[in-house]
Amino acid sequence: MNFDKYFTMSEADAALYAKTKLDFFGKDEELVCKEIGDGNLNYIFKIDSLSTSKSLIMMLYN
């Protein structure tokens, strides 16, 4: 997935985006993602690592 165009992002898509596009989680970390807010075109996800204490709030907007 290249994430270059707008689409309705699922929790799995958000976790994949955080792992592949952001320099925050390790490539081998298992992530859990929960959508915590949504708007008309904006989405907010909380992403947690199961192996570390790292977590991230990610807001995506068009």
Side-chain angles (χ1 to χ4, degrees):
M1 185 170 285
N2 67 16
F3 301 106
D4 288 341
K5 296 181 182 178
Y6 180 83
F7 64 96
T8 303
M9 190 173 275
S10 69
E11 291 174 344
D13 295 329
L16 180 62
Y17 182 90
K19 187 180 278 192
T20 60
K21 296 290 189 177
L22 305 178
D23 187 26
F24 189 77
F25 295 110
K27 299 236 184 264
D28 295 330
E29 286 186 63
E30 187 175 353
L31 304 179
V32 174
C33 181
K34 179 165 177 65
E35 185 176 349
I36 59 173
D38 62 1
N40 198 12
L41 295 173
N42 303 325
Y43 295 89
I44 302 170
F45 297 96
K46 182 173 188 275
I47 304 165
D48 295 294
S49 170
L50 293 178
S51 57
T52 68
S53 61
K54 289 183 174 182
S55 65
L56 175 74
I57 303 292
M58 184 169 70
M59 181 176 140
L60 304 168
Y61 59 93
N62 185 17

